[in-house]
Amino acid sequence: MNNKMKKELDKNKKRKKCIITGVTGQDGSFLSELLLEKGYEVHGVIRRSSTDFRERIAHLENRDDFHLHYGDMTDSLSLVHIIGMVGPDEIYNLAAQSHVQVSFDEPEFTADVDAMGVLRILEAVRLTGVDKTCRIYQASTSELYGRVEEVPQSETTPFHPYSPYAVAKQYGFWIAKEYREAYDMYVCNGILFNHESERRGESFVTRKITLSACRIAQGKQDKLFLGNLSSFRDWGYAKDYVECMWLMLQQETPDDYVIATGEQHTVREFATLAFHFVGIELEFKGEGVDEKGYDKDTGKILIEVSEEFYRPTDVVNLLGDPSNAKENLGWNPRNTSFEQLVKLMVEHDMESIAVEKEKEHIRTNVVEHLERTR
Ligand code: NAP
Ligand code: F7E
């Protein structure tokens, strides 16, 4: 064996292995990039889908340190098989039915994935005998504070979950803590407040707003319909937040951490800033369902409230206290400001909508040409 081969072999022996469930999601894709940069061998769990194109991780799929395995949070055997085969040093459990509004429509599925799924991961780790060596990150959430009992919320604030999603996630939180205490396993709950990005799912309010603002600015949409405009969120940038997931698993002892910016804004403020970045100044008039967002220059109504987007119970006052993460993980909660976050999402969407527009223009020309030459 020559020196080069020996070095390669040593590198592979030392390379840490991790499993990421929810690898195709917003956080899964950013975390994969981060861990690959750090030299990890990354194993992602994917569900079978009728389309094979996984947009957020498509750029990673040809790497030899990035592997994908079919599995599902509702299928214990697949999880046992993957964990047994990989023998991971770290597991990041990000998979979830993560949409709060959808959890009212699919409460049983949400509980199966977001609550029982966590138990399945923990048991699979025990069954495969890696419970003393494998560190586990559980994607917990600020939604546990729900109908908030204090502002701001920290690790000591009592939980008051306020949706089927939050109730399921609360089970996930407690079962993770229970396995840490009962079996001395290294398990951490990251209580993450809302974090957004240019990869955020299109039905979450921030991305829905940035995409619509860009479409309206480019003449592709007339109006945007939203639900509760007065809801407060503590919004951060997803790329900053996945770093905390990794940091939590590098500490001497496992613990639970609040990850937030410590700053809150309403949905109305987010919309005003997003429209500002596309060159439209908004002004809001009216109250409740009658509130409307007007273009200050033209007087045109660009935003209306629709009760369709109201929730049976809504969480309206989230503000996190990230002091503990700041002190003990050495994490900077203000890495990306609120303004920078909205701007980067708008800049991304302006470009993607323009490309959509360009493609449509080419398609129209081709169709017209075919019709003329028929
Ligand atoms: P996301 O974009 O909605 O991604 C969810 C991921 O879970 C996707 O990869 C999805 O796969 C996968 N998944 C769903 N059901 C599954 C199942 N039955 N089996 C296997 N995989 C399944 O969510 P995210 O924003 O990245 O959030 C990551 C995690 O953090 C979630 O657990 C979420 O609840 C939690 N969280 C998010 C925030 C936030 O603000 N983003 C804040 C606090 C906590 P498909 O692509 O196949 O659908
Ligand atoms: O809603 C209000 C809505 O769906 C934010 C998930 O990642 O973060 C996320 O959950 C607020 C709510 O996120 C619309 O009523 C108004 O008050 O963007 P969202 P979420 O519910 O906070 C937590 C931390 C998670 O853990 C979840 O996984 O915005 N809102 N109008 C609207 N919301 C949506 N979706 N659409 C509207 O038209």
Short mmCIF file of all heavy atoms in Angstrom, two decimals, residues 25 38 45 48 55 61-62 65 109 158 167 177-178 191 197 229 235 244 250 259 261 264 269 272 305 342 346:
data_model
loop_
_atom_site.label_atom_id
_atom_site.label_comp_id
_atom_site.label_asym_id
_atom_site.label_seq_id
_atom_site.Cartn_x
_atom_site.Cartn_y
_atom_site.Cartn_z
N GLY A 25 -35.40 18.44 3.41
CA GLY A 25 -36.06 19.67 3.86
C GLY A 25 -35.11 20.86 3.89
O GLY A 25 -33.92 20.76 3.56
N LYS A 38 -17.35 19.89 7.11
CA LYS A 38 -16.58 19.51 8.29
C LYS A 38 -15.95 18.14 8.15
O LYS A 38 -15.34 17.63 9.10
CB LYS A 38 -17.48 19.54 9.54
CG LYS A 38 -17.90 20.94 9.93
CD LYS A 38 -18.59 20.95 11.28
CE LYS A 38 -19.02 22.37 11.65
NZ LYS A 38 -17.91 23.30 11.84
N VAL A 45 -31.85 10.21 5.05
CA VAL A 45 -33.02 9.32 4.92
C VAL A 45 -34.05 10.01 4.02
O VAL A 45 -34.44 11.15 4.29
CB VAL A 45 -33.63 9.02 6.31
CG1 VAL A 45 -34.85 8.11 6.16
CG2 VAL A 45 -32.60 8.40 7.23
N ARG A 48 -39.89 7.52 -0.38
CA ARG A 48 -40.19 7.33 -1.81
C ARG A 48 -41.20 8.39 -2.23
O ARG A 48 -42.10 8.74 -1.47
CB ARG A 48 -40.83 5.95 -2.01
CG ARG A 48 -40.48 5.29 -3.29
CD ARG A 48 -41.35 5.08 -4.45
NE ARG A 48 -42.59 5.52 -4.88
CZ ARG A 48 -42.79 5.99 -6.10
NH1 ARG A 48 -41.79 6.16 -6.92
NH2 ARG A 48 -43.98 6.28 -6.50
N GLU A 55 -34.87 18.80 -5.05
CA GLU A 55 -34.27 20.07 -5.42
C GLU A 55 -33.20 20.58 -4.46
O GLU A 55 -32.12 21.00 -4.87
CB GLU A 55 -35.40 21.11 -5.53
CG GLU A 55 -34.99 22.33 -6.30
CD GLU A 55 -36.13 23.34 -6.39
OE1 GLU A 55 -37.22 23.09 -5.84
OE2 GLU A 55 -35.90 24.39 -7.02
N GLU A 61 -25.85 15.11 -4.66
CA GLU A 61 -26.10 13.68 -4.87
C GLU A 61 -24.97 12.91 -5.54
O GLU A 61 -24.91 11.69 -5.42
CB GLU A 61 -27.45 13.48 -5.57
CG GLU A 61 -28.61 13.79 -4.61
CD GLU A 61 -29.95 13.28 -5.07
OE1 GLU A 61 -29.98 12.30 -5.85
OE2 GLU A 61 -30.98 13.87 -4.67
N ASN A 62 -24.06 13.58 -6.25
CA ASN A 62 -22.97 12.83 -6.90
C ASN A 62 -21.72 12.68 -6.04
O ASN A 62 -20.75 12.07 -6.47
CB ASN A 62 -22.59 13.50 -8.22
CG ASN A 62 -23.67 13.26 -9.25
OD1 ASN A 62 -24.35 12.24 -9.19
ND2 ASN A 62 -23.86 14.22 -10.15
N ASP A 65 -19.14 11.12 -0.48
CA ASP A 65 -19.30 11.15 0.99
C ASP A 65 -20.75 11.48 1.38
O ASP A 65 -21.04 11.78 2.52
CB ASP A 65 -18.34 12.18 1.62
CG ASP A 65 -18.35 13.52 0.89
OD1 ASP A 65 -19.12 13.68 -0.07
OD2 ASP A 65 -17.57 14.41 1.28
N PHE A 109 -51.52 11.59 11.37
CA PHE A 109 -50.25 11.42 10.67
C PHE A 109 -49.16 12.26 11.35
O PHE A 109 -48.03 11.80 11.56
CB PHE A 109 -50.40 11.83 9.20
CG PHE A 109 -49.10 11.80 8.44
CD1 PHE A 109 -48.49 10.59 8.13
CD2 PHE A 109 -48.48 12.99 8.04
CE1 PHE A 109 -47.28 10.56 7.44
CE2 PHE A 109 -47.28 12.96 7.35
CZ PHE A 109 -46.68 11.74 7.04
N PRO A 158 -42.56 27.47 31.02
CA PRO A 158 -43.45 26.29 30.90
C PRO A 158 -44.01 26.16 29.48
O PRO A 158 -44.26 27.16 28.80
CB PRO A 158 -44.59 26.60 31.88
CG PRO A 158 -44.13 27.73 32.72
CD PRO A 158 -43.08 28.47 31.98
N VAL A 167 -48.39 19.56 20.08
CA VAL A 167 -48.62 18.48 21.05
C VAL A 167 -47.75 17.27 20.69
O VAL A 167 -47.13 16.65 21.56
CB VAL A 167 -50.13 18.11 21.09
CG1 VAL A 167 -50.35 16.87 21.95
CG2 VAL A 167 -50.95 19.28 21.63
N LYS A 177 -35.79 13.51 26.27
CA LYS A 177 -35.25 13.81 27.61
C LYS A 177 -35.28 12.54 28.48
O LYS A 177 -34.34 12.26 29.23
CB LYS A 177 -36.13 14.90 28.23
CG LYS A 177 -35.47 15.74 29.29
CD LYS A 177 -36.39 16.93 29.57
CE LYS A 177 -36.23 17.50 30.95
NZ LYS A 177 -35.05 18.24 31.22
N GLU A 178 -36.38 11.80 28.34
CA GLU A 178 -36.55 10.58 29.14
C GLU A 178 -35.44 9.56 28.83
O GLU A 178 -34.85 8.96 29.73
CB GLU A 178 -37.94 9.97 28.87
CG GLU A 178 -38.20 8.63 29.53
CD GLU A 178 -38.12 8.69 31.06
OE1 GLU A 178 -38.26 9.78 31.63
OE2 GLU A 178 -37.89 7.61 31.68
N ILE A 191 -34.55 23.70 20.91
CA ILE A 191 -35.85 24.39 20.87
C ILE A 191 -35.68 25.58 19.94
O ILE A 191 -35.37 26.70 20.37
CB ILE A 191 -36.30 24.82 22.28
CG1 ILE A 191 -36.21 23.62 23.24
CG2 ILE A 191 -37.72 25.39 22.24
CD1 ILE A 191 -36.46 23.98 24.71
N SER A 197 -35.40 30.92 5.01
CA SER A 197 -34.30 31.03 4.05
C SER A 197 -34.88 31.02 2.65
O SER A 197 -36.09 30.86 2.46
CB SER A 197 -33.35 29.85 4.18
OG SER A 197 -33.94 28.69 3.60
N LEU A 229 -52.29 38.85 10.44
CA LEU A 229 -51.16 39.76 10.15
C LEU A 229 -50.46 40.22 11.42
O LEU A 229 -49.34 40.72 11.37
CB LEU A 229 -51.66 40.99 9.39
CG LEU A 229 -52.30 40.76 8.02
CD1 LEU A 229 -52.88 42.05 7.48
CD2 LEU A 229 -51.26 40.21 7.04
N TRP A 235 -37.84 35.56 13.97
CA TRP A 235 -37.37 34.92 12.75
C TRP A 235 -35.84 35.01 12.58
O TRP A 235 -35.29 36.11 12.58
CB TRP A 235 -37.98 35.58 11.51
CG TRP A 235 -39.37 35.17 11.16
CD1 TRP A 235 -39.80 33.93 10.80
CD2 TRP A 235 -40.54 36.02 11.10
NE1 TRP A 235 -41.16 33.95 10.51
CE2 TRP A 235 -41.63 35.22 10.69
CE3 TRP A 235 -40.77 37.38 11.34
CZ2 TRP A 235 -42.91 35.72 10.52
CZ3 TRP A 235 -42.06 37.87 11.18
CH2 TRP A 235 -43.10 37.06 10.77
N CYS A 244 -25.97 25.48 15.16
CA CYS A 244 -26.26 25.20 16.58
C CYS A 244 -26.57 23.73 16.81
O CYS A 244 -26.29 23.19 17.87
CB CYS A 244 -27.47 25.99 17.03
SG CYS A 244 -27.09 27.67 17.20
N GLN A 250 -21.52 18.66 20.21
CA GLN A 250 -20.07 18.67 20.45
C GLN A 250 -19.74 18.99 21.91
O GLN A 250 -18.58 19.11 22.29
CB GLN A 250 -19.34 19.68 19.52
CG GLN A 250 -19.74 19.62 18.07
CD GLN A 250 -19.77 18.19 17.50
OE1 GLN A 250 -18.80 17.43 17.68
NE2 GLN A 250 -20.86 17.84 16.84
N ILE A 259 -32.86 28.31 20.69
CA ILE A 259 -32.11 29.00 19.62
C ILE A 259 -33.06 30.03 19.00
O ILE A 259 -34.10 29.68 18.44
CB ILE A 259 -31.61 28.00 18.54
CG1 ILE A 259 -30.78 26.87 19.18
CG2 ILE A 259 -30.82 28.73 17.47
CD1 ILE A 259 -29.53 27.30 19.90
N THR A 261 -33.30 34.70 17.89
CA THR A 261 -32.51 35.93 17.70
C THR A 261 -32.70 36.89 18.87
O THR A 261 -31.87 37.77 19.11
CB THR A 261 -32.96 36.69 16.43
OG1 THR A 261 -34.29 37.18 16.64
CG2 THR A 261 -32.93 35.81 15.20
N GLN A 264 -38.45 40.28 17.85
CA GLN A 264 -39.70 39.79 17.23
C GLN A 264 -40.30 40.82 16.28
O GLN A 264 -40.12 42.03 16.44
CB GLN A 264 -40.73 39.34 18.29
CG GLN A 264 -41.21 40.43 19.17
CD GLN A 264 -42.34 40.02 20.12
OE1 GLN A 264 -42.88 40.89 20.77
NE2 GLN A 264 -42.74 38.79 20.23
N GLU A 269 -45.13 43.39 9.44
CA GLU A 269 -43.80 44.01 9.27
C GLU A 269 -42.96 43.24 8.24
O GLU A 269 -42.25 43.86 7.44
CB GLU A 269 -43.04 44.02 10.61
CG GLU A 269 -43.48 45.10 11.56
CD GLU A 269 -42.96 44.86 13.00
OE1 GLU A 269 -41.98 44.12 13.17
OE2 GLU A 269 -43.55 45.41 13.91
N THR A 272 -44.28 44.24 4.85
CA THR A 272 -43.91 45.62 4.50
C THR A 272 -42.46 45.68 4.00
O THR A 272 -42.15 46.32 2.99
CB THR A 272 -44.10 46.55 5.73
OG1 THR A 272 -45.44 46.38 6.19
CG2 THR A 272 -43.87 48.01 5.39
N VAL A 305 -56.86 40.09 3.72
CA VAL A 305 -56.92 39.04 4.72
C VAL A 305 -58.00 38.04 4.32
O VAL A 305 -59.08 38.43 3.90
CB VAL A 305 -57.24 39.62 6.12
CG1 VAL A 305 -57.48 38.52 7.15
CG2 VAL A 305 -56.09 40.53 6.58
N VAL A 342 -34.74 39.08 5.15
CA VAL A 342 -35.82 39.38 4.20
C VAL A 342 -35.20 39.71 2.83
O VAL A 342 -35.67 39.24 1.79
CB VAL A 342 -36.70 40.55 4.72
CG1 VAL A 342 -37.82 40.84 3.74
CG2 VAL A 342 -37.27 40.22 6.10
N VAL A 346 -35.80 37.83 -0.75
CA VAL A 346 -36.39 38.58 -1.87
C VAL A 346 -35.45 38.53 -3.08
O VAL A 346 -35.90 38.29 -4.22
CB VAL A 346 -36.68 40.05 -1.46
CG1 VAL A 346 -36.96 40.91 -2.67
CG2 VAL A 346 -37.87 40.09 -0.50
#
